[in-house]
Every structure is written in C-alpha cells, then in structure tokens.
Amino acid sequence: MAAVATLVVVFLALIALTDGAGSGCAAWLPTLGVGTVLAMWRGRRRAWPARLVPFLPVVVAAALTASVCIPTVPTARRYPPALPFVTTQHWSLTTGSRVAVYHYPPAHPSPRHPIPLVYLNGGPVRGISILDHRFLQLLARQGYDVYAYEQAGGGRSDLLPMGQYTISRSVSDLAAFIDRLNKGNVDILGFSAGGTALTRALADPSVAPRLHRAIIAEPGPMDGPTAHITGHKGRKSARGLAPAPTGPRSTHIPRYAAAFGLMRLGLLSPDTGLIGQAEGDNAFTAADLGSDTASAYCARDAHRIPAEDSAQNFSFSPAASLRIQQTVKDSPSIAPQLRRSRTPAMLMIAECSSQIRQWATAILANDPAIQRTQYMLGVGHHMWNGLDDNNDRAAAVISAFLQDKPAPLPDSPTSDEIPTFLRDHE
C-alpha cells in the first residue's frame, strides 16, 4: 500500500508540474514508467513467479490514477434547458460576449417606473438561480422593468476563452449590455460578485455615466488591496450547522476531485489541460458548493435553508470564477477613481454576512455618492431568500432608494460610523 500511495503522490505532483497536460496523460505515463522500472529493479533477484509481485502496486496505482485521466461527463458544453416561466434571449455584445438575457416587464396594475432595472448576479460566472428569478419577478410586480443577464460563461451564456475572463471584461460587458438595451441610463442592482463589478463600473469614467442609480448588495472585494484584507465577518452563519447538501457531487469522482481541488489550492491553472472549461462546467453540481450555500444564511435558519435552484438550472464555472477572482486580487486600488463617483448609490449589508465586513466598508469609505446604507437584520449573504418576509423587506429597501423616498431603515452605518460598526456587528 505504501508503494501505491507513493506512486499516486508522484502522479499528483506531476499533474501539478505539467498543469494537467494531455488530460493528465503527461503525468500518468511517466508515473507508470517510473513504477515499472522500480518494480523491475526490486524483482531482479527473485525467481520468475516472484518477480511479478512488485508489479502489483504498479497495476493498482495505474488503475487508480487512470481514472483521473478519463472524462465521465461530456466535454462539449451542455447548457441548462429553457426556463418555463421566462423567455431566454441571447444578445451578442460589442465585446464579443454572447449572453443569456431575461426580461420581466412591469406588471399591471402597479405604477410603472421609467428607468430600467438591471440585475447583476453573484458567482462570479454562476447562472441566475430560481430563487433570484422569483425575486426579480417580485420587483416586476412592483412596477419595475427588470432585465438580467448571465455573465459570459455562466448559465445559458456562451463560454469565453479562459484568458478573457477578467473583472475588466465583466465591467465592459455591463457597459455593452446597457448600450445594447438602448433605453438610456439604467438603475443597477449588483449582488455579491455582481456588486464588485458594479463598484468597479462606478469607478470607471467611461461606464459610470450610463448608470442612473446603483445598489451594491453584499459586495465582494473591489480590488487587490481590499481582497487581501482579513478581518470582521457578520454574525454567525449556518455554516457547520446546516445538514450537508444532498445530491451527486463531482468531487466524489477522482478526476474532478483532483482537478477542482488542485485548482482551488492554486496548483493547477484555471486553463489547465486536465479538464476543459466545458467539461468542468458540466461536471460541477450544487452539492459541490458544500457549506458555501449554508454560509449565506443565518445560524437560526440552518435547518430550513431553501432550495436555491433546481438541478436542471444550476450552472457554475469553477475555473472561470477562480480566474476572475484572481484578476480582482491582482488589480491595483480603485479607491482614487471611486472617490470621484457621482452616481447616487446605496449599500446593503446583511446581519449574518459571510463576507469580510471591510469589503463593504471599503466601498462606503471611498464612494462619496453613497446616499444610504441599509443594514438588513435577520438575513445572511443571500438577503432575498424566500424565507418569512425577507424578499418583501429587501424589495422595500430597494424600491425606496430607486424612487428617492425615505428609507425603511436607518441610514447605518455611515462612513463616520465604520469603526463602531466593525466593532459592534460581529
């Protein structure tokens, strides 16, 4: 068994060194060769039948490691089927991205709001969940003309070459989407990674003039300096308390366990030769997110976390997501540009947020156009989650800001209150 384990370790090391070249074969063949040579050397002085014994660990290791080299899902992208409640459009943007678009027109008899509302979902490079679609439908019933699109590579949108997944491309796609919409300036609701893209759009003088009002909800880090902050989080989430997610996991299959695990450790590049982008997207399941889903809910909700999505609609590109996150980490500070922002903005922060608090407070400290902050009690990172009246409360906060009406909640924290907020809201 020790010999088998040694050969498996050698194989994984070669996978990392070769970046998975040739679907892992560039690591498998040398491992098999080394194992064969060692077996021959160990058996050189044995009688003929006994000479075969050292080859047994080589055969076992070869079988185990070969499973890492063989795809078990289609290697061409399988897109989610059409949703039964909304038409999927596909728009080709001037950036070269082809994205899936969803439109929820304002429902009667609610008063119509003249400015379109565009939703940027989180991930990054994750399809829009059924739970989010329901929230967008609620906003449409309140009179908003709601548009949403899935980022290139996510959901029903076309893939990009791996090198084109960058946070700058996400911002450029947003600007191109607004231009393609051709309805003038728009209001934007950016959630999580969508909040990161929106923040960077506010700091970009070529994009910001297209934005009428901006809502930054539970944002990720806005730039490299912010991404490297370690600090406060919100009150206790359901991570570690909720039942383990059910359903198939790609990480129970050696090929994808090795690929996603080594990618997450930074030992394989997102553009690894071990698995292609399309294959990785096809393989990854909602259960693979593990406790990440539970971390988006308060501890008190641990045993009633709703199903966020259906297996047929779920879509996430782990490699592209890591690639975009790395470009955020590698980017210089955008604080000087953000300080020149003039687009009216609102920040939404969850009580049980799993995000680093300073990711939100850095935006608050540097964007002088933030007119109000709404601290949402009783919810985690996924604030509109279908539980209790959480969707209605989130919609009320968003609607009040977009209509420039008094906020349902106190404006808290303000930029002056950041130190107290970080101290008192852990």
Side-chain angles (χ1 to χ4, degrees), residues 299-325:
R300 66 178 73 93
D301 296 325
H303 295 282
R304 59 169 194 156
I305 292 175
E308 293 194 340
D309 214 347
S310 66
Q312 294 75 25
N313 186 63
F314 177 82
S315 170
F316 181 67
S317 178
S321 182
L322 287 172
R323 164 76 181 160
I324 290 178
Q325 290 177 61

Side-chain angles (χ1 to χ4, degrees), residues 73-119:
V73 301
T75 56
R77 181 71 173 108
R78 294 183 306 181
Y79 292 94
L83 291 165
F85 50 80
V86 65
T87 300
T88 305
Q89 305 174 54
H90 284 91
W91 290 7
S92 295
L93 306 180
T94 55
T95 56
S97 299
R98 186 171 182 267
V99 296
V101 180
Y102 310 94
H103 180 210
Y104 293 105
H108 299 286
S110 297
R112 290 173 175 255
H113 302 281
I115 308 294
L117 174 61
V118 175
Y119 177 60

